[in-house]
Amino acid sequence: MLANKLVLSHSFRARVKDYATNLLENEIPEEFSNQDLIKAGREIANDVVPDLAPLELYELMSFNSGSTSHIVISSGQLPELPPTPYDALVSSRDILEPALFITSVHAMLDLHPVVYEGENDGQIIRNVVPAKKATSVISSHGSKVAFGGHVDNPDLPFFDDAELHSVSIPDNLSLYCLKQQTPSVTTDVILIDEVIAEMDAENAARLMQPVFTVERPASFSGYTDNFVRNVPLLARNNLGQYVSRFDTHRISTNDEQAAIALNQFSAIASEDRLKLQLDLQCGDFVIFKNKRTLHARGAFNPVFDGNDRWLLRVFSMNSQPH
């Protein structure tokens, strides 16, 4: 299955470009803070929303509270970019226009970009690039090993808790393609509901029992214990929809019956017929509901010539975190 693509109006793309050009022509700091990027994105969104076509507005505004699993948007031609940063470090000045595109789209979707303590050096935008020392590592910096279906940050609680001030698994995950491999490396999305629909009812119920152990993602640091224990794999949100913390590589259980259910879920989720293949090209942006889908990518061989696959990743919440 292939995904449809929304091409936003020229006025929106031109506004992003003009805003970035104006900032770069003036004396600005070497690095923009998260707050600077989010504020600028909101200003751009406020300027362009009145000029959007009705179809654009409908698709954008219905994502947050609707049943749509994902949106793919084309930003048009990208500005000149530096070489792929294999150390994942790049100045915000060098990717200012893509960064503003990301935050302005989030503002139009009424979503709130977030970063988690201990992850990505406190920056909301993460560079998803192959690293020379991590080609065989299963992470956003790996390449030569396939990254199976998973939910990002599966070790966190399903939902925020205002009393305990806990933060939850991100509601949404976005990827903005700056550079792509040849041949393309697809980002595959699997709908949780479609997996559960093919499971035995008893096994689906077992996945809601708190008998699973989750290993924290490789992108996090500073923990003395890298495992979260006795949590359910599935739950239901306030709309009665299933949400998941499944991760092909990082979830396990010692419960015999739960292990059978986990194996069935994993087997169904890995079938190609359920995968929505997103062939992101340069300038394509996708956002999908992190807890309501799984995402995966195949293995690829980077050349390390400065032109390898480079995505920008951002987490977001549906409502302002407390």
Side-chain angles (χ1 to χ4, degrees), residues 262-280:
L262 176 61
N263 288 338
Q264 185 182 36
F265 184 98
S266 181
I268 296 171
S270 65
E271 294 188 22
D272 288 342
R273 61 188 177 81
L274 294 186
K275 294 177 181 177
L276 179 68
Q277 293 186 314
L278 306 179
D279 186 10
L280 302 178

Side-chain angles (χ1 to χ4, degrees), residues 1-9 13 55-56 59-60 68 70-78 101 175-177 180 184 186-187 276-287:
M1 295 186 292
L2 298 177
N4 293 325
K5 189 181 299 182
L6 175 65
V7 180
L8 291 180
S9 63
R13 289 174 283 147
L55 177 60
E56 293 175 326
E59 292 206 35
L60 293 170
T68 303
H70 70 283
I71 299 178
V72 181
I73 301 171
S74 172
S75 70
Q77 185 175 0
L78 290 168
F101 178 85
L175 298 170
Y176 189 23
C177 181
Q180 180 59 278
S184 298
T186 63
T187 298
L276 179 68
Q277 293 186 314
L278 306 179
D279 186 10
L280 302 178
Q281 296 302 304
C282 299
D284 286 349
F285 170 95
V286 62
I287 185 164

Side-chain angles (χ1 to χ4, degrees), residues 182-200:
T182 302
S184 298
V185 181
T186 63
T187 298
D188 301 332
V189 176
I190 303 101
L191 306 184
I192 295 296
D193 288 349
E194 292 190 359
V195 178
I196 296 172
E198 299 196 16
M199 292 188 66
D200 298 334

Side-chain angles (χ1 to χ4, degrees), residues 24-88:
L24 291 173
E25 288 177 348
N26 293 281
E27 292 188 9
I28 59 172
E30 182 64 26
E31 293 296 329
F32 276 84
S33 69
N34 295 331
Q35 291 79 6
D36 290 336
L37 292 174
I38 292 171
K39 179 182 178 182
R42 289 173 181 160
E43 291 178 359
I44 294 170
N46 288 336
D47 284 349
V48 300
V49 162
D51 298 328
L52 294 179
L55 177 60
E56 293 175 326
L57 279 174
Y58 173 77
E59 292 206 35
L60 293 170
M61 300 302 181
S62 62
F63 177 78
N64 190 331
S65 58
S67 59
T68 303
S69 63
H70 70 283
I71 299 178
V72 181
I73 301 171
S74 172
S75 70
Q77 185 175 0
L78 290 168
E80 184 177 351
L81 296 167
T84 299
Y86 297 110
D87 58 2

Side-chain angles (χ1 to χ4, degrees), residues 9-282:
S9 63
H10 174 73
S11 62
F12 168 66
R13 289 174 283 147
R15 182 69 182 97
V16 172
K17 183 178 181 64
D18 290 346
Y19 200 108
T21 300
N22 183 60
L23 286 175
L24 291 173
E25 288 177 348
N26 293 281
E27 292 188 9
I28 59 172
E30 182 64 26
E31 293 296 329
F32 276 84
S33 69
N34 295 331
Q35 291 79 6
D36 290 336
L37 292 174
I38 292 171
K39 179 182 178 182
R42 289 173 181 160
E43 291 178 359
I44 294 170
N46 288 336
D47 284 349
V48 300
V49 162
D51 298 328
L52 294 179
L55 177 60
E56 293 175 326
L57 279 174
Y58 173 77
E59 292 206 35
L60 293 170
M61 300 302 181
S62 62
F63 177 78
N64 190 331
S65 58
S67 59
T68 303
S69 63
H70 70 283
I71 299 178
V72 181
I73 301 171
S74 172
S75 70
Q77 185 175 0
L78 290 168
E80 184 177 351
L81 296 167
T84 299
Y86 297 110
D87 58 2
L89 300 176
V90 64
S91 168
S92 57
R93 291 175 62 99
D94 292 335
I95 56 167
L96 182 57
E97 188 176 325
L100 293 178
F101 178 85
I102 290 172
T103 56
S104 57
V105 169
H106 277 80
M108 288 192 293
L109 293 170
D110 193 25
L111 301 176
H112 304 269
V114 295
V115 64
Y116 293 85
E117 184 177 6
E119 200 261 355
N120 201 40
D121 294 326
Q123 302 302 308
I124 60 169
I125 295 178
R126 179 174 177 82
N127 294 287
V128 177
V129 294
K132 292 181 179 179
K133 295 182 179 180
T135 56
S136 297
V137 175
I138 299 173
S139 77
S140 60
H141 292 159
S143 53
K144 294 185 177 181
V145 178
F147 203 162
H150 64 284
V151 167
D152 270 27
N153 296 6
D155 56 302
L156 297 175
F158 276 123
F159 311 109
D160 284 0
D161 189 318
E163 292 184 8
L164 298 177
H165 299 287
S166 66
V167 292
S168 66
I169 297 171
D171 292 318
N172 311 290
L173 186 153
S174 67
L175 298 170
Y176 189 23
C177 181
L178 301 188
K179 297 184 181 183
Q180 180 59 278
Q181 297 291 129
T182 302
S184 298
V185 181
T186 63
T187 298
D188 301 332
V189 176
I190 303 101
L191 306 184
I192 295 296
D193 288 349
E194 292 190 359
V195 178
I196 296 172
E198 299 196 16
M199 292 188 66
D200 298 334
E202 297 83 357
N203 281 339
R206 289 176 182 131
L207 297 181
M208 302 183 76
Q209 301 302 310
V211 294
F212 296 91
T213 297
V214 185
E215 183 180 3
R216 286 193 168 94
S219 58
F220 279 78
S221 61
Y223 290 98
T224 55
D225 184 357
N226 286 325
F227 295 89
V228 175
R229 299 168 178 82
N230 302 320
V231 293
L233 187 149
L234 292 180
R236 290 185 183 271
N237 61 20
N238 59 355
L239 299 176
Q241 300 167 325
Y242 282 109
V243 292
S244 158
R245 59 159 45 90
F246 177 77
D247 187 315
T248 301
H249 311 285
R250 294 188 175 88
I251 194 157
S252 60
T253 181
N254 291 323
D255 183 286
E256 184 176 342
Q257 294 301 312
I260 294 173
L262 176 61
N263 288 338
Q264 185 182 36
F265 184 98
S266 181
I268 296 171
S270 65
E271 294 188 22
D272 288 342
R273 61 188 177 81
L274 294 186
K275 294 177 181 177
L276 179 68
Q277 293 186 314
L278 306 179
D279 186 10
L280 302 178
Q281 296 302 304
C282 299

